Amino acid sequence: MFQLLLLHCGDKNTISWEYSSKMFRTSVIVTSSCSCSVCLECFCDDIQPNWHRGKESYIMYHGTTMFNAMRIMTEGFSPSFDGMLGPGVYVTRSFEKASRYPLHSNGDMLAVLRLSVRVGRVKKIDYQSHPLQKTWHEHGYDTAWVPPNCGMVNSGLEENCVYDPSRITVLDVMPNLKFW
């Protein structure tokens, strides 16, 4: 019923796997760090029994102004009404990408929020005009994920849209001293 497929074995003994389930009709990427050779046994030790039910968390980032970062800390995220992936909070696992936002800061002090995101059920959107590009949440998904280098994002970096802001916990606010 469930499949674990080796997708990539990169540097520093990082193993990326795709976890697929016909029952939930979803596919998410899980990354595991292992100090020994690449092996399924070590990877399986990292899987929590019910992680596919929305308990898997990732460290992600969100770029904004320092003023908005302080507001987010006190009031929480306000989802956008629309965007490339429809309504939700846009986050990324790429600090580099987050540090490029907001695009127009008008000289305001910038910040990058480090987040813990419970992704839940994830829908991969890997091409323009995907049938669920803006409606993934209506089909039972919690997060939409645009993989890197798929042609959806000019930077070639990955992007996520989380529908429910309560899935996001702010861990840190970092001043963004990098100007693009």
Side-chain angles (χ1 to χ4, degrees), residues 101-136:
Y101 286 86
L103 295 175
H104 308 289
S105 65
N106 298 323
D108 292 339
M109 200 168 147
L110 303 180
V112 175
L113 301 170
R114 188 170 69 97
L115 315 165
S116 175
V117 180
R118 291 179 303 109
V119 294
R121 204 164 162 224
V122 178
K123 180 62 184 167
K124 180 169 120 178
I125 308 290
D126 56 357
Y127 60 91
Q128 290 291 350
S129 301
H130 187 288
L132 300 184
Q133 184 170 340
K134 293 191 178 218
T135 61
W136 47 271

Side-chain angles (χ1 to χ4, degrees), residues 19 21 24-30 50-60 91 116-124 136-137 139-145 160-168:
Y19 180 82
S21 165
F24 295 104
R25 288 191 301 254
T26 189
S27 180
V28 292
I29 303 299
V30 177
N50 294 317
W51 79 267
H52 61 277
R53 293 189 185 151
K55 298 180 193 252
E56 186 68 15
S57 294
Y58 291 94
I59 298 297
M60 294 192 189
V91 296
S116 175
V117 180
R118 291 179 303 109
V119 294
R121 204 164 162 224
V122 178
K123 180 62 184 167
K124 180 169 120 178
W136 47 271
H137 184 260
H139 295 270
Y141 295 96
D142 302 301
T143 300
W145 172 59
N160 300 270
C161 182
V162 180
Y163 188 81
D164 181 359
S166 71
R167 294 183 156 278
I168 303 170

Side-chain angles (χ1 to χ4, degrees), residues 15-87:
I15 310 163
S16 295
W17 300 82
E18 181 173 348
Y19 180 82
S20 299
S21 165
K22 291 188 194 286
M23 183 175 153
F24 295 104
R25 288 191 301 254
T26 189
S27 180
V28 292
I29 303 299
V30 177
T31 302
S32 172
S33 296
C34 175
S35 59
C36 66
S37 63
V38 176
C39 66
L40 182 58
E41 179 180 280
C42 294
F43 174 74
C44 288
D45 288 344
D46 289 344
I47 296 178
Q48 299 301 315
N50 294 317
W51 79 267
H52 61 277
R53 293 189 185 151
K55 298 180 193 252
E56 186 68 15
S57 294
Y58 291 94
I59 298 297
M60 294 192 189
Y61 303 94
H62 178 82
T64 189
T65 63
M66 186 61 77
F67 178 82
N68 284 341
M70 295 299 108
R71 185 187 55 74
I72 291 166
M73 291 293 293
T74 58
E75 300 172 20
F77 276 99
S78 297
S80 64
F81 293 109
D82 198 16
M84 178 181 70
L85 298 169

